[in-house]
């Protein structure tokens, strides 16, 4: 049973090594924290003048966060642009499950 | 007795066979986002089956009465009612779009001729009343049959309106709207066994509501830290105990479950029981916490057990034993060596649900490639089946599927690299008393039944 467990560990660790090789900037903290931030992200963000000012102030001091697994960080750290906004939803129609 | 039939194993073999019954939804390859099914739930009798989708719509199917003229046809589910439950909203204060996607549907136990269900999106829970109208009053004094008001002076005689039969009309109306109680995304709702209250849970809080009262809700769990930088886990699911109206559980992103007793304190931040499986620290990896996150928790009908679903397995816990689960069933262990790509394409964050059969002898959950898994707890057998239009001849038996993990691929096996990760079965439901299951495969709803012997 011990050997079975150990064999189970190796694939996971190998996968982690693969991921770190692709994204060297991946945080040292376990994947849980990135996951939490992703979870709490409250939906699509639109232009907000408060965030814009905050982001401008912050950016004077530090670099823009890179894209990759860290994308979709919560607000205040980057400036949303009109190009990045999704299209507005189409009008509502009956579900195709009906008939 | 549900699911116990004559020594057959619910996970296939011997005298038990799952067969295709029906499929609902469009056939075309191009799936509109709004059509993606996001909730599936049988009502307490199993006569009604509700689905919710990303477009905020609810469709309710009703089981037809069994036809004596066609003894081999089990009652089929046909459309009973459909309505727009939630619409997209915009939170102007936070500049956020609120999706209309239905996250959960829960039926209330039936108390009169009408049916009631709760449906929720990320922010707002609604109580819907679905009622039938098959009679209409005729012979009003003050208005014509077409509804035009009559001139009162022209009314020379009084008559009593009489009820006449009409074509059945099913109406859905929102009776209560429970809004503005959740800062974070609602992931669960659960009706209490007292039939008066229900809970709603978001990432950081659990609220208790009275079904009659919409302007107030009582916060019973709050795990938000004073400093958000200290946040280490979120609430992923919550459910009331099926019989003890003071007991509920909530699961976390760290793979733990807390059982709370509302009699012991008003604010249930401190749990009564804490369920966690010990982890081998030497096996820890970057993915450990993510794959341990519980995506669903369900009490057994008996109330003695609960089941949790994490990314790779389903675990059954005895409520009297907090130290470890009594059963662990591997859903798709072969994905452990694919975690890197599953993290990159976000599949590792997919939230699968799980369900019990009526007698708690079997459990079911979904996987990828439109596969779903069933585990028979008595015989310890399990089976992988597929929801596919290729197996959709009426009453066609479903053939067990097998994933090949390495080495030589046998005929009829599918290799891990050929699995379609866009075809996810996140939502499944089991009829409360019979061997009928509903499986949501993206935009299609499949219904499978056991073979009528």
């Amino acid at each position: 049973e011990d050997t079975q467990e150990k064999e189970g560990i190796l694939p996971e660790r190998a996968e982690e090594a693969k991921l770190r090789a692709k994204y060297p900037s991946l945080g040292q903290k376990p994947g849980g924290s990135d996951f939490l931030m992703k979870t709490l992200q409250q939906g699509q963000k639109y232009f907000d003048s408060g965030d814009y000012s905050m982001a401008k102030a912050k950016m004077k001091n530090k670099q823009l966060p890179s894209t990759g697994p860290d994308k979709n960080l919560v607000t205040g750290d980057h400036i949303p642009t009109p190009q990045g906004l999704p299209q507005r939803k189409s009008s509502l129609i009956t579900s195709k499950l009906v008939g | 007795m549900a699911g116990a039939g004559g020594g057959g194993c619910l996970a296939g073999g011997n005298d038990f066979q799952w067969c295709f019954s029906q499929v609902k939804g469009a056939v075309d390859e191009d799936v509109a986002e709004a059509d993606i099914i996001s909730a599936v739930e049988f009502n307490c009798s199993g006569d009604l089956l509700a689905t919710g989708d990303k477009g905020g719509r609810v469709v309710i199917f009703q089981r037809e009465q069994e036809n004596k003229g066609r003894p081999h046809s089990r009652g089929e589910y046909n459309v009973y009612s459909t309505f727009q439950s939630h619409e997209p909203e915009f939170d102007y204060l936070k500049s956020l779009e609120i999706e209309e996607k239905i996250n959960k549907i829960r039926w209330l136990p039936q108390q009169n001729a009408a049916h009631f269900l709760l449906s929720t999106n990320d922010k707002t829970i609604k109580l819907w009343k679905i009622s039938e109208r098959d009679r209409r009053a005729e012979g009003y004094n003050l208005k014509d049959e077409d509804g035009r008001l009559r001139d009162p002076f022209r009314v020379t005689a009084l008559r009593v309106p009489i009820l006449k039969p009409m074509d059945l009309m099913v109406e859905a109306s929102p009776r209560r709207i429970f809004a503005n109680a959740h800062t974070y995304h609602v992931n669960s709702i659960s009706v209490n066994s007292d039939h008066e209250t229900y809970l709603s849970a978001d990432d950081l809080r659990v609220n208790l509501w009275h079904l009659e009262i919409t302007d107030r809700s009582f916060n019973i769990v709050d795990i938000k830290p004073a400093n958000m930088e200290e946040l280490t886990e979120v609430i992923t699911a919550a459910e009331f105990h099926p019989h003890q109206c003071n007991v509920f559980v909530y699961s976390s992103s760290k793979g733990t479950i807390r059982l709370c007793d509302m009699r012991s304190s008003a604010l249930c931040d401190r749990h009564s029981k804490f369920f966690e499986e010990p982890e081998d620290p030497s096996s820890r990896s970057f993915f450990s916490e993510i794959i341990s996150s519980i995506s669903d928790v369900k009490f057994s009908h008996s109330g003695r057990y609960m089941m949790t679903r994490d990314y790779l397995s389903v675990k059954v816990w005895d409520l009297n034993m907090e130290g470890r689960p009594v059963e662990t069933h591997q859903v798709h262990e072969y994905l452990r060596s694919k975690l890197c790509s599953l993290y990159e394409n976000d599949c590792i964050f997919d939230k699968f649900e799980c369900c019990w059969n009526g007698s708690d002898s079997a459990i079911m959950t979904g996987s990828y490639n439109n596969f779903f898994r069933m585990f028979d707890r008595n015989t310890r057998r399990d089976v992988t089946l597929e929801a596919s239009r290729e197996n959709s001849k009426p009453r066609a038996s479903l053939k067990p599927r097998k994933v090949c993990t390495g080495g030589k691929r046998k005929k009829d096996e599918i290799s891990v690299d050929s699995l379609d990760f866009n075809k996810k079965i996140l939502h499944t439901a089991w009829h409360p008393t019979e061997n009928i299951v509903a499986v949501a495969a993206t935009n299609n709803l499949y219904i499978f039944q056991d073979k009528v012997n």
Side-chain angles (χ1 to χ4, degrees):
Chain A
E1 225 177 63
D2 264 354
T3 27
Q4 264 182 5
E5 259 181 41
K6 290 213 171 94
E7 278 171 15
I9 298 163
L10 291 177
E12 227 175 284
R13 287 272 175 81
E15 291 295 296
E16 178 174 357
K18 250 194 250 174
L19 194 67
R20 290 199 185 278
K22 277 194 187 183
Y23 305 101
S25 63
L26 202 64
Q28 283 312 304
K29 45 194 180 170
S33 308
D34 292 338
F35 170 42
L36 283 186
M37 286 303 120
K38 204 182 185 77
T39 305
L40 289 178
Q41 177 212 348
Q42 292 183 54
Q44 200 60 47
K45 194 86 175 99
Y46 290 89
F47 181 75
D48 182 309
S49 58
D51 278 342
Y52 182 78
S53 310
M54 270 180 65
K56 269 186 88 173
K58 270 193 191 173
M59 270 166 211
K60 285 199 182 124
N61 302 328
K62 74 174 189 196
Q63 283 179 303
L64 279 166
S66 55
T67 52
D70 281 2
K71 62 182 189 259
N72 300 329
L73 274 175
V74 287
T75 75
D77 279 346
H78 64 278
I79 303 171
T81 58
Q83 289 78 18
L85 298 182
Q87 297 302 312
R88 221 30 206 142
K89 294 182 198 263
S90 55
S91 57
L92 310 164
I93 52 173
T94 310
S95 165
K96 295 203 180 86
L97 292 181
V98 177
Chain B
M1 174 127 146
C9 161
L10 280 149
N14 293 3
D15 50 354
F16 195 90
Q17 277 294 327
W18 284 103
C19 303
F20 171 86
S21 174
Q22 296 171 271
V23 61
K24 312 265 184 203
V27 187
D28 53 36
E29 288 291 317
D30 215 10
V31 179
E33 176 116 355
D35 290 329
I36 296 173
I37 301 169
S38 50
V40 184
E41 194 79 4
F42 280 101
N43 75 335
C44 306
S45 66
D47 282 341
L48 297 179
L49 174 62
T51 61
D53 65 23
K54 276 197 167 184
R57 300 164 299 194
V58 170
V59 181
I60 300 175
F61 302 91
Q62 182 185 48
R63 194 171 183 201
E64 299 298 336
Q65 295 299 323
E66 291 188 26
N67 190 336
K68 289 206 168 72
R70 289 192 300 152
H72 290 293
S73 96
R74 290 291 222 48
E76 279 195 344
Y77 284 85
N78 295 321
V79 179
Y80 179 66
S81 172
T82 180
F83 53 93
Q84 187 75 38
S85 171
H86 288 71
E87 302 209 3
E89 286 176 60
F90 196 79
D91 180 339
Y92 296 99
L93 194 62
K94 296 180 186 171
S95 285
L96 290 173
E97 193 171 63
I98 299 169
E99 276 190 356
E100 67 277 33
K101 168 165 96 69
I102 306 297
N103 292 338
K104 285 278 157 42
I105 291 173
R106 289 288 183 265
W107 290 93
L108 267 58
Q110 192 173 11
Q111 290 175 328
N112 52 39
H115 298 276
F116 290 85
L117 61 78
L118 288 171
S119 66
T120 187
N121 69 347
D122 284 339
K123 296 288 181 186
T124 304
I125 305 121
K126 296 187 183 182
L127 176 70
W128 287 88
K129 176 180 180 182
I130 298 105
S131 48
E132 292 184 3
R133 197 202 289 243
D134 60 358
R135 279 173 296 179
R136 158 179 73 216
E138 278 180 14
Y140 284 102
N141 291 291
L142 294 177
K143 60 181 181 186
D144 283 339
E145 294 313 321
D146 52 11
R148 274 184 307 182
L149 290 175
R150 275 195 188 151
D151 183 353
F153 292 105
R154 288 178 185 259
V155 177
T156 52
L158 285 179
R159 57 186 177 171
V160 177
I162 47 172
L163 292 175
K164 286 241 174 98
M166 60 179 257
D167 286 341
L168 179 67
M169 201 164 77
V170 182
E171 301 172 317
S173 61
R175 304 303 288 176
R176 307 271 186 277
I177 297 184
F178 304 93
N180 302 320
H182 288 282
T183 307
Y184 302 96
H185 292 175
V186 175
N187 53 53
S188 309
I189 45 176
S190 178
V191 182
N192 204 351
S193 53
D194 64 9
H195 301 173
E196 286 188 341
T197 58
Y198 75 94
L199 64 74
S200 59
D202 66 32
D203 295 317
L204 297 179
R205 298 187 177 102
V206 181
N207 292 331
L208 180 71
W209 300 84
H210 192 284
L211 285 163
E212 299 288 332
I213 299 169
T214 58
D215 64 352
R216 248 169 303 171
S217 105
F218 194 72
N219 177 244
I220 49 178
V221 175
D222 187 339
I223 66 167
K224 187 177 180 190
N227 183 356
M228 280 299 268
E229 307 240 323
E230 288 166 8
L231 180 71
T232 54
E233 65 186 322
V234 295
I235 296 169
T236 52
E239 192 175 66
F240 265 120
H241 190 277
H243 312 307
Q244 295 169 38
C245 59
N246 53 300
V247 172
F248 67 94
V249 292
Y250 68 92
S251 58
S252 86
S253 53
K254 279 186 154 177
T256 64
I257 309 100
R258 287 169 177 81
L259 183 144
C260 302
D261 185 338
M262 296 192 292
R263 287 176 311 187
S264 58
S265 70
L267 188 56
C268 297
D269 278 0
R270 267 195 316 206
H271 51 264
S272 296
K273 292 193 183 185
F274 181 72
F275 297 82
E276 185 178 33
E277 182 164 27
E279 189 204 8
D280 176 8
S282 66
S283 69
R284 196 153 176 83
S285 79
F286 175 84
F287 303 109
S288 299
E289 195 172 299
I290 304 175
I291 63 173
S292 74
S293 176
I294 292 170
S295 49
D296 196 15
V297 63
K298 292 262 171 48
F299 278 103
S300 64
H301 293 90
S302 66
R304 281 193 54 199
Y305 300 96
M306 66 179 174
M307 161 168 61
T308 56
R309 175 67 155 98
D310 51 72
Y311 190 61
L312 298 178
S313 69
V314 178
K315 296 179 179 168
V316 177
W317 303 77
D318 183 325
L319 293 187
N320 294 319
M321 192 160 80
E322 299 164 62
R324 59 176 175 80
V326 289
E327 292 166 30
T328 300
H329 302 278
Q330 302 299 343
V331 180
H332 38 216
E333 179 67 14
Y334 46 79
L335 295 184
R336 201 179 287 269
S337 52
K338 300 286 169 199
L339 292 177
C340 177
S341 45
L342 292 168
Y343 182 89
E344 288 181 282
N345 61 20
D346 277 355
C347 284
I348 205 174
F349 301 107
D350 285 336
K351 295 178 173 37
F352 292 93
E353 291 175 4
C354 53
C355 58
W356 299 85
N357 72 337
S359 63
D360 299 334
S361 63
I363 58 186
M364 169 174 164
T365 189
S367 179
Y368 295 103
N369 208 70
N370 278 356
F371 287 172
F372 57 100
R373 303 266 287 134
M374 285 177 170
F375 304 91
D376 188 310
R377 299 177 64 219
N378 297 330
T379 63
R380 310 228 161 254
R381 301 240 309 261
D382 60 78
V383 71
T384 304
L385 300 172
E386 183 179 0
S388 150
R389 284 193 183 256
E390 282 169 18
N391 307 334
S392 54
K393 286 205 204 69
R395 296 185 300 283
S397 288
L398 295 185
K399 210 170 81 138
R401 311 289 289 150
K402 196 145 161 51
V403 176
C404 154
T405 49
K408 278 192 102 141
R409 185 179 73 87
K410 295 200 189 81
K411 189 170 103 98
D412 287 348
E413 282 187 357
I414 180 166
S415 82
V416 183
D417 296 310
S418 308
L419 295 174
D420 187 342
F421 290 95
N422 290 317
K423 292 189 176 166
K424 354 182 165 222
I425 292 182
L426 305 174
H427 311 285
T428 59
W430 205 312
H431 188 286
T433 54
E434 294 185 40
N435 289 328
I436 304 172
V437 294
V439 173
T442 315
N443 61 331
N444 285 170
L445 180 73
Y446 287 81
I447 298 172
F448 302 105
Q449 297 186 4
D450 64 350
K451 203 173 210 101
V452 180
N453 290 312

